[in-house]
Amino acid sequence: MNRGAFSYSSYRFKWKKFLSFAVLLTVATPCFADVTNPWHLAVDERILNRKQVSHIVLETRPGGYRITLLLSERFPYSYKSKSAPFFIRVSDAKSGLELAEKLDAYLERGYNIRIRLNGSEIVEYELDESIE
């Protein structure tokens, strides 16, 4: 019988390859569960890294001081994009400067920060080295 380009062995090989890939996905899923997936975060949460934070600014406002994180997209996506400012309220300039240096050093080491937002205000931030 003439089968042309289709042969039983190539068909069986494709199924073996597919099944081994499916088994790998089901077995390897718990290995990747501890990595924080940005798609599984709540609407008011974000994960920031040094590539997104372009500036850390200490601002004086009429109601007090605040640390502002200016976020921008990375290079090919930065064309026609707008930066987003998120801020943390602080009580005085000294504590604000200490927090800004702490955030800068943390981001420079390559770790990520998980933040919870209320509009543009950061109401909670988590400096955890296990966030990936």
Side-chain angles (χ1 to χ4, degrees), residues 50-71:
R50 191 60 184 172
K51 294 176 186 175
Q52 296 168 335
V53 177
S54 61
H55 295 80
I56 300 175
V57 181
L58 175 63
E59 291 184 284
T60 58
R61 304 298 288 180
Y65 294 92
R66 61 188 194 181
I67 300 295
T68 303
L69 305 175
L70 293 177
L71 307 181

Side-chain angles (χ1 to χ4, degrees), residues 14-28:
K14 289 180 184 176
W15 273 104
K16 279 186 178 179
K17 196 180 213 183
F18 174 75
L19 288 175
S20 63
F21 181 70
V23 168
L24 176 68
L25 280 179
T26 58
V27 171

Side-chain angles (χ1 to χ4, degrees), residues 4-124:
F6 178 77
S7 69
Y8 178 72
S9 63
S10 67
Y11 179 73
R12 193 171 82 191
F13 177 72
K14 289 180 184 176
W15 273 104
K16 279 186 178 179
K17 196 180 213 183
F18 174 75
L19 288 175
S20 63
F21 181 70
V23 168
L24 176 68
L25 280 179
T26 58
V27 171
T29 302
C31 298
F32 302 117
D34 55 346
V35 176
T36 306
N37 187 348
W39 292 103
H40 295 139
L41 292 175
V43 175
D44 62 342
E45 288 184 346
R46 270 184 87 161
I47 294 179
L48 304 178
N49 57 24
R50 191 60 184 172
K51 294 176 186 175
Q52 296 168 335
V53 177
S54 61
H55 295 80
I56 300 175
V57 181
L58 175 63
E59 291 184 284
T60 58
R61 304 298 288 180
Y65 294 92
R66 61 188 194 181
I67 300 295
T68 303
L69 305 175
L70 293 177
L71 307 181
S72 59
E73 297 291 330
R74 294 187 329 205
F75 168 58
Y77 310 108
S78 62
Y79 178 67
K80 291 188 177 180
S81 70
K82 295 182 180 179
S83 62
F86 295 132
F87 66 92
I88 303 170
R89 293 185 196 274
V90 292
S91 58
D92 59 344
K94 183 179 179 184
S95 64
L97 184 60
E98 290 171 358
L99 178 61
E101 290 174 348
K102 179 180 171 184
L103 291 174
D104 187 41
Y106 187 81
L107 289 170
E108 282 296 325
R109 285 185 282 164
Y111 298 122
N112 296 330
I113 300 174
R114 183 188 317 207
I115 61 172
R116 183 174 298 264
L117 299 168
N118 182 14
S120 294
E121 182 179 4
I122 300 172
V123 292
E124 180 183 342

